[in-house]
Amino acid sequence: FLSFVAEFCCGFFVILILGNFWFLAVLYLLWLYLDWGTPCAGGRRSHWVRSWTVWKYFREYFPIHLIKTSELNPNHNYILGFHPHGVLVAGAFGNFCTDPPFKNLFPGLTPYLHIMPIWFGCPFFREYIMSAGMVSASKESVSHVLSNEGGGHASVIVIGGAEESLNAHPGSLTLNILKRKGFIKMALKHGAHLVPVFSFGENELFKQVANPKGSWLRNVQEKLQKIMGFALPLFHARGVFQYSFGLIPYRQPIHTVVGSPIPVKQNLNPTTEEIDQLHALYLQKLKKLFEEHKSNYGIPAHKSLIFE
């Protein structure tokens, strides 16, 4: 959906340039230049956009549910580690970029979904995603969100990133996380509490062309991902009037479970050992969260998370 909107916005901008409205395109480019740093400075959210009726129908389509397991004190700042990426990241968008799911369950907390900086270079589209509460995934942006002295900010980071979308097959429980420790370092530097989040059903929305590691397709996808910064999974699902083939996601329920916070004391210069220790603790809590809730959402007892 976001890709479609981005393409539409870029197409509209091209029309402005080629048409008789080129002066509007020039004015917007000037605005883009002056406003370039906003995605790294908290964005520019709009409660009106986040409350559009269309998002209610979007959440009900799957449907998407947000599950609270513990209180989050709004006097603290948090990093919510979202897993897995899936193809669409529907649970992250539906729960953290639309109202009222998150604000009803966690009053006093403001969620910021961090996404790849490349999206904020798309004309007009950047204004839309910022209005929904999305900000850049850069270190500068995360630091800005977590620097709120009064607390009440929650950085939502899809830890596996674009690379993990290549594992987004129905039934897959493989997470790209063992080498991803930047969010741990940010938590320590800012004293932000860590909260594991697992979105059951995220990988069930699409079927992806088989791309096991070592295959020619996977090698091409990984090379393109390194060059462009985002992955290109080859996926399909259902159509508008039939269920055999199309790009509309399957109607599979998504249950996004927010775990208990891991208290973190501020440490401006954490050592590698301290980062590794907190990372290991996070993995332990994430696995515990999954094991405690998997039976509620159709995961067989013998299935467990795979960290790589």
Side-chain angles (χ1 to χ4, degrees):
F1 176 77
L2 289 180
S3 297
F4 172 78
V5 177
E7 291 172 4
F8 175 82
C9 290
C10 289
F12 179 70
F13 185 71
V14 171
I15 291 173
L16 288 181
I17 294 176
L18 299 179
N20 295 324
F21 302 97
W22 59 267
F23 61 94
L24 293 178
V26 173
L27 288 176
Y28 183 78
L29 287 175
L30 177 61
W31 161 255
L32 191 63
Y33 172 77
L34 296 174
D35 194 57
W36 191 255
T38 301
C40 293
R44 188 168 44 247
R45 72 177 53 224
S46 165
H47 293 292
W48 174 68
V49 172
R50 289 171 59 91
S51 301
W52 281 351
T53 303
V54 67
W55 303 137
K56 175 178 178 289
Y57 294 117
F58 173 80
R59 294 192 300 269
E60 291 178 350
Y61 171 80
F62 298 97
I64 296 175
H65 304 280
L66 186 64
I67 313 300
K68 176 181 179 179
T69 64
S70 178
E71 295 291 339
L72 297 183
N73 189 332
N75 294 323
H76 298 296
N77 293 317
Y78 299 87
I79 290 181
L80 275 60
F82 185 90
H83 313 270
H85 184 287
V87 172
L88 189 64
V89 205
F93 178 82
N95 287 312
F96 304 117
C97 294
T98 71
D99 290 331
F102 188 84
K103 74 175 185 179
N104 281 355
L105 289 180
F106 301 99
L109 282 180
T110 302
Y112 295 82
L113 179 60
H114 295 271
I115 64 175
M116 292 184 296
I118 189 173
W119 290 113
F120 296 98
C122 180
F124 301 115
F125 180 66
R126 70 188 295 274
E127 318 304 334
Y128 159 67
I129 56 179
M130 279 196 290
S131 68
M134 294 182 233
V135 292
S136 172
S138 66
K139 292 181 180 179
E140 177 188 357
S141 177
V142 177
S143 290
H144 184 277
V145 172
L146 298 180
S147 296
N148 192 42
E149 293 184 2
H153 282 188
S155 281
V156 183
I157 303 176
V158 184
I159 305 300
E163 182 182 359
E164 193 172 85
S165 67
L166 299 178
N167 291 328
H169 296 271
S172 174
L173 295 172
T174 300
L175 303 181
N176 292 62
I177 192 172
L178 291 181
K179 296 181 180 179
R180 296 180 181 267
K181 301 179 182 179
F183 74 105
I184 298 292
K185 190 173 183 180
M186 294 298 291
L188 285 165
K189 284 192 171 184
H190 293 277
H193 295 354
L194 285 167
V195 182
V197 178
F198 195 87
S199 195
F200 292 89
E202 199 74 44
N203 283 339
E204 318 307 315
L205 305 185
F206 296 93
K207 293 180 180 178
Q208 190 173 167
V209 175
N211 60 343
K213 287 200 170 183
S215 66
W216 70 268
L217 177 57
R218 187 59 170 259
N219 290 336
V220 170
Q221 288 175 320
E222 290 177 345
K223 288 180 180 178
L224 289 175
Q225 190 263 324
K226 291 179 180 179
I227 295 173
M228 299 184 298
F230 57 90
L232 293 173
L234 299 179
F235 60 89
H236 65 88
R238 53 163 290 186
V240 179
F241 302 110
Q242 44 77 31
Y243 292 85
S244 57
F245 189 83
L247 295 179
I248 297 176
Y250 293 115
R251 296 193 69 177
Q252 296 288 340
I254 298 173
H255 294 86
T256 303
V257 183
V258 181
S260 301
I262 303 170
V264 178
K265 289 186 177 181
Q266 187 174 27
N267 184 346
L268 296 178
N269 295 292
T271 64
T272 300
E273 182 180 0
E274 289 169 331
I275 293 173
D276 289 343
Q277 287 178 349
L278 184 56
H279 186 261
L281 177 60
Y282 179 85
L283 295 183
Q284 177 185 331
K285 295 295 184 180
L286 173 60
K287 186 172 184 179
K288 180 182 178 182
L289 177 71
F290 174 81
E291 293 294 332
E292 288 178 347
H293 294 272
K294 67 180 183 181
S295 62
N296 297 331
Y297 308 116
I299 307 295
H302 68 278
K303 290 271 192 175
S304 296
L305 293 179
I306 299 173
F307 297 144
E308 63 175 27

